[in-house]
Amino acid sequence: MVGGGQLARMTHEAGIPLGIRFRLLSGAPQDSAALVAHDVVVGDHRDLGTLREFARGCDVITFDHEHVPTEHLRALEADGVAVRPGPDALVHAQDKGVMRARLDGIGVPCPRHRVVRDPADTAAFAQEISSPGGDGPDGGTGSGTSVAGSGEGSGTAAQVPADGAFPVPVVLKTVRGGYDGKGVWVVRSRDEAAEPFKAGVPVLAEEKVDFARELAACVVRSPHGQAVAYPVVESVQVGGVCDTVIAPAPGLPGEEAVRAQELALRIADELGVVGHMAVELFETHDGRVLVNELAMRPHNSGHWTQDGAVTSQFANHLRAVLDLPLGDPRPRARWTVMANVLGGDYPDMYSAYRHCMARDPRLKIHMYGKDVKPGRKVGHVNTYGDDLDDVRERAAHAAGYLRGTITE
Amino acid sequence: MVGGGQLARMTHEAGIPLGIRFRLLSGAPQDSAALVAHDVVVGDHRDLGTLREFARGCDVITFDHEHVPTEHLRALEADGVAVRPGPDALVHAQDKGVMRARLDGIGVPCPRHRVVRDPADTAAFAQEISSPGGDGPDGGTGSGTSVAGSGEGSGTAAQVPADGAFPVPVVLKTVRGGYDGKGVWVVRSRDEAAEPFKAGVPVLAEEKVDFARELAACVVRSPHGQAVAYPVVESVQVGGVCDTVIAPAPGLPGEEAVRAQELALRIADELGVVGHMAVELFETHDGRVLVNELAMRPHNSGHWTQDGAVTSQFANHLRAVLDLPLGDPRPRARWTVMANVLGGDYPDMYSAYRHCMARDPRLKIHMYGKDVKPGRKVGHVNTYGDDLDDVRERAAHAAGYLRGTITE
């Protein structure tokens, strides 16, 4: 597995009972997964020579992140390395522009979007999506949600007020490299739109969807085409970072859940995904879903499966990339809640860790072995049971106590 | 952890989510746990210098087996190393003579027993336990089950027939070093009793209990005295090796289960055990229990907890030896069954492994990364559910298929 973060750490953990010999390419010897894996290569995942040397002797290579350059993955495939997911699939999780174009092409509902050149072009995009003659916000019909460029952005920019304020807010994203809210901006004027272009990389503009909540549909697919779908979950974000995941999503009608699962399975099939894929969704106030992001690896929205499903996302990711039969994705409890543990002001969590174990003997703690820094994901907790209020309270209390925001 | 077997492998696995940095002392670099742990020291656990060097920088040392010499453990304690369980407790799992004497002393029911010097003394023991004037077999009352030595064994040996046949069979055990049926003999005559004495080590004689079945009561105890008891399980042995464990023991009346749990908790407390302890029990036909063996480490009879309990024996062993609050030992399913996977005639299990995953997507496979040799424990499977017959069939089928005794 390329990448030494907590996803690799937990994938190694899941591979032990499967009898899998796990080799890790880690950026540093103190990375989360490097602390617990036996066979650790320290090296740069952006260097093709390093990747080639690493892949020698591996049956399959897979990833803890999306940051390996697509051209390197193609070179490895050309060498005969089994790269899973392969570059033709993974590029859709690496490049948001490619992802949006492809999802449009297969009729998957997305927020309206187009690649924009500069603040003026962004202003034009804002005008286009607010125009009463065009599709209004949330007016996507499930296909062809891309907004055609307006030729010269400055041509339509004249329609916006002199202070550069947009008629509707716009979400700008760098097409590559963003995660956990990084590389994402919500802008309301030409002035605010300046920042995202400073890095000189392509920028995607999207409508800011007035969603009711965020959901995630996670699926796992094998090279031979077997696929399983986990229950659709609700993902609660705070400051652009996943805070809590509730499995299954409370109050989601069964037929809507099945539609979201089918959508994720269809995307996995159309894109040729191998391994775990999380499809992050916006649920609109009228019960439709729009695809927000794709991640082709184990994902934060699937951490609940470690304690809440028959087979965890990590075990199923390994089974998929090794083309083994997949495990049962069904839940083991009526409700499972995952809460992320973020670093707080105190670097030493030990006392809080002991407190949480003593307070709740059923609590499932998952620590990543990382140094604590404010706001950094350093672990998560899972709770499960029949009473959702109780299960949520236990998870939120433990995560808050570990962070230091709850002290009693 | 000292010892590189599968118990250490699964303890490391359980320590990853707890954020524990796990250092292993392994006899060989290819040992089961050494394949998956990061921090591996290869060395001999019988060498005090090696143990001292290994323990440097560890907060606590614990064990995957009972084979570290008691005097080395005392030396480490004298150095200030936290040894858990400590030598004063662990000696009861290392030396069956010490264990029997201590259990007698605290009134714990055991098979009748005494240390014997030679075949003639063994014959005398057989005579003593069969004598109508004394306690008959199964006549132990729960305390004072030791049989006093007869002074000169040869004095009573004259009472046995000329061919040396015993009136009742006797179990002989070397007081140290046995496991999985090794170091244990059932003898019916003076001739048969010769073998166990050949090694020149002390031998314990025990009555052969006509038990209805074998049970195990597993408990975990912390240095500060917190303790938890797992449900009492039934352990089905084949050829002296654990074959299947059923949790909870079917048909065991609630009050008997609680008495067995209380017995195990009392032994843990009296002996000052820290960590997981398995108390292997004989259940007699009239519903009493006699203690067969003690193991002070994670144990085969607790492997079901990985998938069947809120907190596994491995996680709770770590929590105990680190003096962290213990996790909930309660079951997650109505029935959980563990079946050991023994090596068969085919060294490559891969095809069978794939078959079992495909046949039963709910099957939980735990492989130890060991080379397959006939009769060697190379893994186990866990199954769980509401229907015991179904759960047993699934476990037995998978274990048999992996071994090669079932081919369809």
Side-chain angles (χ1 to χ4, degrees):
Chain A
M1 185 170 247
V2 177
Q6 64 264 28
L7 301 177
R9 179 184 176 98
M10 294 185 278
T11 302
H12 171 53
E13 178 193 341
I16 293 173
L18 293 171
I20 291 166
R21 295 215 185 179
F22 184 88
R23 176 176 291 176
L24 182 73
L25 179 61
S26 182
Q30 295 305 310
D31 283 353
S32 178
L35 297 175
V36 298
H38 182 75
D39 187 358
V40 179
V41 176
V42 175
D44 187 344
H45 60 263
R46 295 164 302 187
D47 179 72
L48 181 57
T50 300
L51 289 167
R52 282 192 158 130
E53 179 65 27
F54 172 72
R56 196 170 299 153
C58 290
D59 294 308
V60 174
I61 73 165
T62 188
F63 310 94
D64 143 293
H65 57 61
E66 290 91 7
H67 306 318
V68 179
T70 310
E71 62 272 23
H72 291 357
L73 300 178
R74 294 198 201 283
L76 290 171
E77 273 205 333
D79 292 345
V81 175
V83 177
R84 293 175 182 165
D88 291 340
L90 194 61
V91 68
H92 299 93
Q94 296 180 307
D95 186 310
K96 297 183 207 303
V98 173
M99 180 266 284
R100 286 292 181 223
R102 182 65 186 273
L103 295 185
D104 285 349
I106 60 174
V108 169
C110 293
R112 287 173 305 157
H113 59 85
R114 71 173 167 84
V115 174
V116 288
R117 289 184 306 277
D118 54 29
D121 196 19
T122 308
F125 174 80
Q127 197 65 37
E128 289 151 27
I129 61 172
S130 71
S131 155
D135 283 335
D138 279 5
T141 55
S143 69
T145 52
S146 178
V147 177
S150 58
E152 283 300 302
S154 56
T156 50
Q159 300 170 21
V160 305
D163 64 358
F166 295 166
V168 291
V170 169
V171 180
L172 293 178
K173 301 175 173 178
T174 55
V175 297
R176 280 191 177 250
Y179 67 98
D180 275 358
K182 296 176 184 67
V184 178
W185 297 261
V186 178
V187 297
R188 291 175 176 78
S189 70
R190 257 184 297 186
D191 287 352
E192 289 180 11
E195 181 67 23
F197 296 94
K198 287 184 177 165
V201 296
V203 173
L204 182 73
E206 295 185 349
E207 70 172 306
K208 185 170 185 300
V209 177
D210 177 30
F211 57 83
R213 60 175 172 174
E214 293 187 65
L215 304 175
C218 294
V219 296
V220 186
R221 184 175 175 277
S222 297
H224 73 282
Q226 187 191 8
V228 295
Y230 283 100
V232 175
V233 299
E234 177 174 343
S235 173
V236 181
Q237 314 279 316
V238 174
V241 177
C242 176
D243 181 83
T244 303
V245 169
I246 306 165
L252 187 68
E255 62 273 27
E256 289 182 27
V258 168
R259 274 204 300 274
Q261 289 178 310
E262 287 173 343
L263 181 71
L265 289 167
R266 186 158 71 84
I267 294 169
D269 184 53
E270 295 269 10
L271 273 50
V273 173
V274 172
H276 184 269
M277 177 176 68
V279 181
E280 295 184 70
L281 298 163
F282 295 127
E283 185 185 28
T284 64
H285 293 283
D286 57 353
R288 290 174 307 117
V289 295
L290 305 172
V291 172
N292 179 20
E293 303 278 0
L294 303 182
M296 295 182 196
R297 49 169 171 75
H299 187 260
N300 205 161
S301 60
H303 289 358
W304 71 274
T305 60
Q306 293 175 301
D307 300 296
V310 175
T311 313
S312 80
Q313 65 165 346
F314 300 102
N316 260 339
H317 182 76
L318 284 170
R319 288 165 75 148
V321 302
L322 292 163
D323 208 9
L324 293 166
L326 299 179
D328 191 328
R330 279 178 288 187
R332 288 196 68 174
R334 183 163 172 199
W335 299 106
T336 303
V337 171
M338 189 281 323
N340 278 322
V341 177
L342 303 185
D345 292 332
Y346 301 99
D348 183 2
M349 280 192 175
Y350 188 67
S351 164
Y353 166 88
R354 284 169 53 115
H355 170 89
C356 290
M357 288 187 186
R359 182 181 192 267
D360 184 357
R362 290 174 294 163
L363 183 71
K364 306 307 290 184
I365 297 181
H366 298 265
M367 300 304 290
Y368 306 154
K370 292 178 170 181
D371 290 336
V372 174
K373 293 178 189 169
R376 186 185 203 191
K377 283 184 192 169
V378 295
H380 67 272
V381 296
N382 286 331
T383 54
Y384 54 83
D386 289 332
D387 177 343
L388 179 56
D389 288 341
D390 174 64
V391 173
R392 283 194 78 159
E393 189 282 329
R394 290 167 48 214
H397 188 280
Y401 201 96
L402 286 162
R403 187 176 190 175
T405 53
I406 296 172
T407 55
E408 61 182 354
Chain B
M1 185 171 248
V2 177
Q6 65 264 28
L7 301 177
R9 179 184 175 99
M10 294 185 278
T11 303
H12 172 53
E13 177 193 342
I16 294 173
L18 293 171
I20 291 167
R21 296 215 186 179
F22 184 87
R23 176 177 291 177
L24 181 73
L25 179 62
S26 183
Q30 296 304 311
D31 283 353
S32 179
L35 298 174
V36 299
H38 182 75
D39 187 358
V40 180
V41 176
V42 175
D44 187 344
H45 60 262
R46 296 165 301 187
D47 180 72
L48 180 57
T50 300
L51 289 166
R52 280 191 159 131
E53 179 64 28
F54 172 72
R56 197 169 297 153
C58 290
D59 293 310
V60 174
I61 72 164
T62 189
F63 311 94
D64 143 294
H65 57 60
E66 291 91 8
H67 307 320
V68 179
T70 310
E71 62 271 23
H72 290 358
L73 300 178
R74 293 198 201 284
L76 291 171
E77 273 206 332
D79 292 346
V81 175
V83 178
R84 293 175 183 166
D88 292 339
L90 194 61
V91 68
H92 299 93
Q94 296 181 306
D95 187 308
K96 296 183 209 303
V98 172
M99 180 265 283
R100 287 295 180 220
R102 182 65 187 273
L103 295 185
D104 286 349
I106 60 174
V108 168
C110 293
R112 285 173 304 157
H113 59 87
R114 72 173 167 84
V115 174
V116 287
R117 288 185 305 278
D118 53 31
D121 196 19
T122 308
F125 175 79
Q127 198 63 37
E128 290 152 26
I129 61 171
S130 70
S131 154
D135 283 335
D138 279 5
T141 56
S143 68
T145 52
S146 176
V147 176
S150 56
E152 284 300 302
S154 55
T156 50
Q159 300 169 21
V160 305
D163 64 356
F166 295 165
V168 291
V170 169
V171 180
L172 293 179
K173 301 175 173 178
T174 55
V175 298
R176 280 190 177 250
Y179 66 97
D180 275 358
K182 295 177 185 68
V184 178
W185 297 261
V186 179
V187 297
R188 291 174 176 77
S189 70
R190 256 185 299 188
D191 287 353
E192 288 180 11
E195 180 68 23
F197 296 93
K198 287 181 178 165
V201 297
V203 174
L204 182 74
E206 295 185 349
E207 70 171 306
K208 184 169 185 300
V209 177
D210 177 31
F211 57 82
R213 60 175 172 173
E214 293 188 64
L215 304 174
C218 294
V219 295
V220 185
R221 184 175 174 277
S222 297
H224 73 281
Q226 187 190 10
V228 296
Y230 284 100
V232 176
V233 300
E234 178 175 344
S235 172
V236 182
Q237 314 279 317
V238 175
V241 177
C242 176
D243 181 85
T244 303
V245 169
I246 306 166
L252 187 68
E255 63 272 26
E256 289 182 26
V258 168
R259 274 204 300 274
Q261 290 177 312
E262 286 173 344
L263 182 70
L265 289 168
R266 186 157 72 83
I267 294 169
D269 185 52
E270 294 270 9
L271 273 48
V273 173
V274 172
H276 184 269
M277 177 175 67
V279 180
E280 296 184 69
L281 298 164
F282 295 127
E283 184 185 27
T284 64
H285 294 283
D286 57 353
R288 290 174 306 117
V289 295
L290 305 173
V291 171
N292 179 21
E293 302 277 359
L294 302 182
M296 295 182 195
R297 50 169 170 75
H299 187 261
N300 206 161
S301 60
H303 289 359
W304 70 274
T305 60
Q306 292 175 302
D307 301 296
V310 175
T311 313
S312 80
Q313 65 165 345
F314 300 102
N316 260 339
H317 182 77
L318 285 170
R319 288 164 76 148
V321 302
L322 292 164
D323 208 9
L324 293 165
L326 300 178
D328 192 329
R330 279 178 289 188
R332 288 197 68 175
R334 183 163 170 200
W335 298 108
T336 303
V337 171
M338 188 282 323
N340 277 320
V341 176
L342 302 185
D345 293 333
Y346 301 100
D348 184 1
M349 280 191 176
Y350 188 66
S351 164
Y353 166 88
R354 284 169 53 116
H355 170 89
C356 290
M357 288 187 186
R359 182 181 193 266
D360 184 357
R362 288 174 296 163
L363 182 71
K364 305 308 290 183
I365 297 182
H366 298 265
M367 301 304 289
Y368 305 156
K370 291 178 169 181
D371 290 336
V372 174
K373 293 178 190 169
R376 185 185 204 190
K377 283 183 193 170
V378 295
H380 66 272
V381 296
N382 287 330
T383 54
Y384 53 83
D386 289 331
D387 178 344
L388 179 56
D389 289 341
D390 174 63
V391 173
R392 284 195 77 160
E393 190 281 330
R394 289 167 49 214
H397 188 280
Y401 201 97
L402 286 163
R403 187 177 189 173
T405 54
I406 296 172
T407 55
E408 60 181 357

Short mmCIF file of all heavy atoms in Angstrom, two decimals, chain B residues 219-228 265 268-277 316 320-321 326:
data_model
loop_
_atom_site.label_atom_id
_atom_site.label_comp_id
_atom_site.label_asym_id
_atom_site.label_seq_id
_atom_site.Cartn_x
_atom_site.Cartn_y
_atom_site.Cartn_z
N VAL B 219 -11.18 -15.00 32.23
CA VAL B 219 -11.31 -13.73 32.95
C VAL B 219 -10.09 -12.87 32.64
O VAL B 219 -9.07 -13.36 32.19
CB VAL B 219 -11.43 -13.95 34.48
CG1 VAL B 219 -12.71 -14.71 34.81
CG2 VAL B 219 -10.21 -14.68 35.03
N VAL B 220 -10.23 -11.59 32.90
CA VAL B 220 -9.12 -10.65 32.72
C VAL B 220 -9.06 -9.80 33.97
O VAL B 220 -10.10 -9.34 34.46
CB VAL B 220 -9.35 -9.74 31.49
CG1 VAL B 220 -8.12 -8.87 31.24
CG2 VAL B 220 -9.67 -10.58 30.25
N ARG B 221 -7.86 -9.60 34.48
CA ARG B 221 -7.70 -8.85 35.74
C ARG B 221 -6.57 -7.84 35.59
O ARG B 221 -5.54 -8.13 34.99
CB ARG B 221 -7.42 -9.81 36.89
CG ARG B 221 -7.35 -9.14 38.25
CD ARG B 221 -7.20 -10.17 39.36
NE ARG B 221 -6.98 -9.53 40.64
CZ ARG B 221 -5.80 -9.11 41.09
NH1 ARG B 221 -4.71 -9.26 40.34
NH2 ARG B 221 -5.70 -8.53 42.27
N SER B 222 -6.78 -6.67 36.17
CA SER B 222 -5.82 -5.55 36.10
C SER B 222 -5.00 -5.49 37.38
O SER B 222 -5.42 -5.99 38.42
CB SER B 222 -6.59 -4.23 36.01
OG SER B 222 -7.33 -4.17 34.85
N PRO B 223 -3.86 -4.81 37.32
CA PRO B 223 -3.08 -4.63 38.54
C PRO B 223 -3.87 -3.97 39.66
O PRO B 223 -3.68 -4.28 40.83
CB PRO B 223 -1.92 -3.74 38.09
CG PRO B 223 -1.80 -3.96 36.63
CD PRO B 223 -3.20 -4.24 36.14
N HIS B 224 -4.76 -3.04 39.30
CA HIS B 224 -5.52 -2.38 40.37
C HIS B 224 -6.75 -3.18 40.78
O HIS B 224 -7.55 -2.73 41.59
CB HIS B 224 -5.88 -0.94 39.97
CG HIS B 224 -6.94 -0.81 38.93
ND1 HIS B 224 -6.70 -1.00 37.59
CD2 HIS B 224 -8.26 -0.51 39.03
CE1 HIS B 224 -7.83 -0.80 36.91
NE2 HIS B 224 -8.77 -0.51 37.76
N GLY B 225 -6.89 -4.41 40.24
CA GLY B 225 -7.91 -5.32 40.74
C GLY B 225 -9.22 -5.33 40.00
O GLY B 225 -10.12 -6.10 40.35
N GLN B 226 -9.37 -4.49 38.96
CA GLN B 226 -10.58 -4.60 38.14
C GLN B 226 -10.54 -5.94 37.42
O GLN B 226 -9.47 -6.40 36.98
CB GLN B 226 -10.66 -3.47 37.12
CG GLN B 226 -12.01 -3.47 36.37
CD GLN B 226 -12.05 -2.52 35.18
OE1 GLN B 226 -11.04 -1.97 34.76
NE2 GLN B 226 -13.23 -2.35 34.61
N ALA B 227 -11.68 -6.58 37.27
CA ALA B 227 -11.71 -7.86 36.56
C ALA B 227 -13.01 -8.00 35.80
O ALA B 227 -14.04 -7.43 36.20
CB ALA B 227 -11.54 -9.02 37.54
N VAL B 228 -12.94 -8.70 34.70
CA VAL B 228 -14.14 -9.01 33.91
C VAL B 228 -14.12 -10.51 33.61
O VAL B 228 -13.07 -11.13 33.53
CB VAL B 228 -14.21 -8.23 32.58
CG1 VAL B 228 -14.33 -6.73 32.84
CG2 VAL B 228 -13.01 -8.52 31.67
N LEU B 265 -12.71 -15.91 38.65
CA LEU B 265 -12.38 -14.59 39.22
C LEU B 265 -11.66 -14.75 40.57
O LEU B 265 -10.73 -14.01 40.88
CB LEU B 265 -13.65 -13.75 39.39
CG LEU B 265 -14.28 -13.24 38.10
CD1 LEU B 265 -15.68 -12.67 38.37
CD2 LEU B 265 -13.41 -12.17 37.43
N ALA B 268 -8.11 -15.82 39.92
CA ALA B 268 -7.32 -14.67 39.44
C ALA B 268 -6.93 -13.76 40.59
O ALA B 268 -5.80 -13.27 40.68
CB ALA B 268 -8.12 -13.90 38.38
N ASP B 269 -7.89 -13.54 41.49
CA ASP B 269 -7.64 -12.65 42.62
C ASP B 269 -6.65 -13.28 43.60
O ASP B 269 -5.67 -12.65 44.02
CB ASP B 269 -8.97 -12.35 43.30
CG ASP B 269 -8.81 -11.33 44.42
OD1 ASP B 269 -8.22 -10.28 44.15
OD2 ASP B 269 -9.26 -11.62 45.55
N GLU B 270 -6.88 -14.55 43.97
CA GLU B 270 -6.01 -15.22 44.95
C GLU B 270 -4.57 -15.33 44.44
O GLU B 270 -3.61 -15.21 45.21
CB GLU B 270 -6.53 -16.64 45.24
CG GLU B 270 -7.89 -16.67 45.94
CD GLU B 270 -7.76 -16.66 47.46
OE1 GLU B 270 -6.64 -16.44 47.97
OE2 GLU B 270 -8.80 -16.86 48.12
N LEU B 271 -4.43 -15.56 43.13
CA LEU B 271 -3.09 -15.77 42.58
C LEU B 271 -2.45 -14.46 42.12
O LEU B 271 -1.30 -14.46 41.69
CB LEU B 271 -3.15 -16.76 41.40
CG LEU B 271 -3.05 -18.26 41.75
CD1 LEU B 271 -3.97 -18.68 42.87
CD2 LEU B 271 -3.29 -19.12 40.51
N GLY B 272 -3.23 -13.37 42.16
CA GLY B 272 -2.68 -12.09 41.72
C GLY B 272 -2.42 -12.04 40.22
O GLY B 272 -1.48 -11.38 39.75
N VAL B 273 -3.28 -12.69 39.46
CA VAL B 273 -3.12 -12.72 37.99
C VAL B 273 -3.32 -11.32 37.42
O VAL B 273 -4.21 -10.59 37.85
CB VAL B 273 -4.14 -13.69 37.36
CG1 VAL B 273 -4.11 -13.62 35.84
CG2 VAL B 273 -3.91 -15.10 37.87
N VAL B 274 -2.49 -10.95 36.45
CA VAL B 274 -2.71 -9.73 35.66
C VAL B 274 -2.75 -10.15 34.20
O VAL B 274 -1.85 -10.83 33.72
CB VAL B 274 -1.62 -8.69 35.91
CG1 VAL B 274 -1.76 -7.52 34.93
CG2 VAL B 274 -1.70 -8.18 37.35
N GLY B 275 -3.82 -9.71 33.51
CA GLY B 275 -4.00 -10.07 32.11
C GLY B 275 -5.09 -11.12 31.99
O GLY B 275 -5.91 -11.31 32.90
N HIS B 276 -5.11 -11.75 30.84
CA HIS B 276 -6.14 -12.76 30.55
C HIS B 276 -5.75 -14.09 31.18
O HIS B 276 -4.59 -14.50 31.11
CB HIS B 276 -6.26 -12.93 29.04
CG HIS B 276 -7.36 -13.86 28.61
ND1 HIS B 276 -7.16 -15.20 28.42
CD2 HIS B 276 -8.67 -13.64 28.35
CE1 HIS B 276 -8.31 -15.76 28.05
NE2 HIS B 276 -9.24 -14.84 27.99
N MET B 277 -6.72 -14.76 31.77
CA MET B 277 -6.48 -16.13 32.26
C MET B 277 -7.62 -17.02 31.80
O MET B 277 -8.80 -16.69 31.97
CB MET B 277 -6.41 -16.19 33.78
CG MET B 277 -6.24 -17.63 34.29
SD MET B 277 -6.01 -17.76 36.08
CE MET B 277 -7.62 -17.23 36.65
N ASN B 316 -8.38 -6.92 25.76
CA ASN B 316 -8.48 -6.84 27.21
C ASN B 316 -7.20 -7.29 27.90
O ASN B 316 -6.85 -6.76 28.96
CB ASN B 316 -9.69 -7.64 27.73
CG ASN B 316 -10.87 -6.73 28.03
OD1 ASN B 316 -10.70 -5.51 28.23
ND2 ASN B 316 -12.06 -7.29 28.06
N ALA B 320 -5.36 -4.81 30.37
CA ALA B 320 -5.03 -5.22 31.74
C ALA B 320 -3.55 -5.03 32.04
O ALA B 320 -3.20 -4.44 33.07
CB ALA B 320 -5.43 -6.68 31.94
N VAL B 321 -2.68 -5.51 31.17
CA VAL B 321 -1.26 -5.45 31.52
C VAL B 321 -0.76 -3.99 31.53
O VAL B 321 0.23 -3.68 32.20
CB VAL B 321 -0.37 -6.36 30.62
CG1 VAL B 321 -0.82 -7.81 30.73
CG2 VAL B 321 -0.31 -5.89 29.19
N LEU B 326 -10.77 -1.91 31.74
CA LEU B 326 -11.08 -3.06 30.89
C LEU B 326 -12.31 -2.80 30.04
O LEU B 326 -13.19 -2.00 30.40
CB LEU B 326 -11.27 -4.30 31.75
CG LEU B 326 -10.04 -4.68 32.59
CD1 LEU B 326 -10.33 -5.90 33.44
CD2 LEU B 326 -8.83 -4.91 31.70
#
